[in-house]
Amino acid sequence: MTGGTGGQETAMDAPAPTSAPPAPTAAHDYSTTNVQVEGVDEADFLKNDGRYIYVISGESLAILEAFPAENAKIVSETRIEGIPTALFLAGDRLVVFATGTEESMTTVKGSIAPVPVQRVVTHAYIYDIGDRSDPDLVRTQTFTGSYYDAG
């Protein structure tokens, strides 16, 4: 038998220890939307960005941290005025469409008493979601009529 270690590694032959790779911050393989036209976002009641899930349910917008799955939790719930119908997601901006009614008083020609008039409106609530635990309403746009579709 010649000199050697008989197949055993010595401290000098062992590979240097390496650090573990950094934990991923988002899932690499996820579906962003049911795409009908490539590159065109479509409204939906649920969106995700690989780490968070954004969902409208009832009169609320909920943001859930979903990745990694073992740490999944609700990070915020925001009440939406009106009836939420759809949302869009683009980076740190989230838009929620909600339908509601507005009432105003008007005086009909030939009458002296004002009467209430209602109209259907759609609100576009624009949130900055840089801090998912505290979405910041940065703008509201209101349009006469009902939201139908954005696809």
Side-chain angles (χ1 to χ4, degrees):
M1 184 188 252
T2 59
T5 59
Q8 296 177 350
E9 291 181 343
T10 65
M12 294 195 49
D13 295 334
T18 60
S19 61
T25 58
H28 294 289
D29 187 22
Y30 67 96
S31 174
T32 56
T33 187
N34 180 9
V35 177
Q36 294 178 18
V37 178
E38 189 65 37
V40 176
D41 191 22
E42 296 154 7
D44 210 337
F45 65 93
L46 183 139
K47 295 284 188 181
N48 80 82
D49 63 11
R51 180 169 180 189
Y52 295 94
I53 295 174
Y54 311 86
V55 62
I56 51 177
S57 176
E59 296 176 343
S60 296
L61 163 68
I63 301 177
L64 299 84
E65 187 170 13
F67 186 85
E70 58 271 9
N71 298 331
K73 64 184 175 205
I74 296 172
V75 294
S76 70
E77 288 185 77
T78 304
R79 185 172 183 323
I80 304 297
E81 192 69 33
I83 301 168
T85 56
L87 57 89
F88 284 94
L89 175 65
D92 283 344
R93 289 285 196 252
L94 186 102
V95 179
V96 178
F97 284 100
T99 303
T101 57
E102 286 186 351
E103 185 175 287
S104 61
M105 299 299 283
T106 188
T107 303
V108 180
K109 188 175 180 176
S111 174
I112 58 168
V115 294
V117 175
Q118 288 190 340
R119 68 181 181 138
V120 175
V121 294
T122 297
H123 303 284
Y125 299 110
I126 303 161
Y127 291 92
D128 179 338
I129 55 169
D131 177 0
R132 271 49 175 198
S133 67
D134 187 22
D136 183 26
L137 180 63
V138 294
R139 188 172 178 192
T140 300
Q141 289 289 137
T142 301
F143 308 94
T144 299
S146 296
Y147 170 81
Y148 175 69
D149 192 8

